[in-house]
Amino acid sequence: MKKIKGCLAENIVVCHFQLKGYYVFKASQTHGPIDLITVDPRTFRAKFYDVKTRRYRRDGSPINSVPRTKKGDIRIIYVEGDQVIEPKPRRKRSKNTEVSKTSSDE
């Protein structure tokens, strides 16, 4: 059942991006870190996606997934029913983040 859900979710996302005018390439492997590659036809910039079916905990809060690999810029995209949910990209934290003091802190 999970495999059928995953295949359906991938096909929904393919249609989503094709309707937006992107070139879409599906992975030929079943266990790779990338499910889809989209290419913007105007700029030829490629984006890599890992497609996930949206899941929830018993209390109703969503379960967020992480990409299968830390290498590259692979984005998670969720499917809930027939809706595609593109989460906002998270900003990377730097190691040297200090909170600067403002005049109101003094």
Side-chain angles (χ1 to χ4, degrees):
M1 187 68 171
K2 284 184 180 182
K3 183 174 179 166
I4 294 171
K5 248 191 222 183
C7 290
L8 179 61
E10 282 184 24
N11 289 328
I12 289 170
V13 174
V14 166
C15 292
H16 169 77
F17 283 119
Q18 285 178 338
L19 288 172
K20 287 185 166 188
Y22 289 91
Y23 301 129
V24 182
F25 302 92
K26 283 183 72 168
S28 60
Q29 298 177 352
T30 56
H31 296 291
I34 297 171
D35 293 325
L36 298 174
I37 300 172
T38 61
V39 177
D40 187 340
R42 291 164 283 163
T43 62
F44 289 101
R45 294 194 68 141
K47 293 182 183 176
F48 309 103
Y49 291 96
D50 188 5
V51 179
K52 301 287 184 188
T53 302
R54 179 56 96 181
R55 298 170 295 145
Y56 292 94
R57 293 183 183 88
R58 289 184 183 162
D59 66 358
S61 62
I63 298 173
N64 294 320
S65 300
V66 295
R68 291 182 211 153
T69 180
K70 299 287 185 199
K71 298 177 184 175
D73 188 21
I74 301 171
R75 301 164 187 231
I76 298 285
I77 191 163
Y78 295 102
V79 175
E80 182 175 1
D82 61 349
Q83 298 289 334
V84 176
I85 303 166
E86 294 184 62
K88 295 178 183 175
R90 297 175 66 179
R91 288 189 279 165
K92 294 181 181 177
R93 295 184 196 174
S94 64
K95 290 181 181 180
N96 299 330
T97 55
E98 286 187 23
V99 178
S100 61
K101 289 185 177 182
T102 61
S103 60
S104 63
D105 291 342
E106 297 175 354

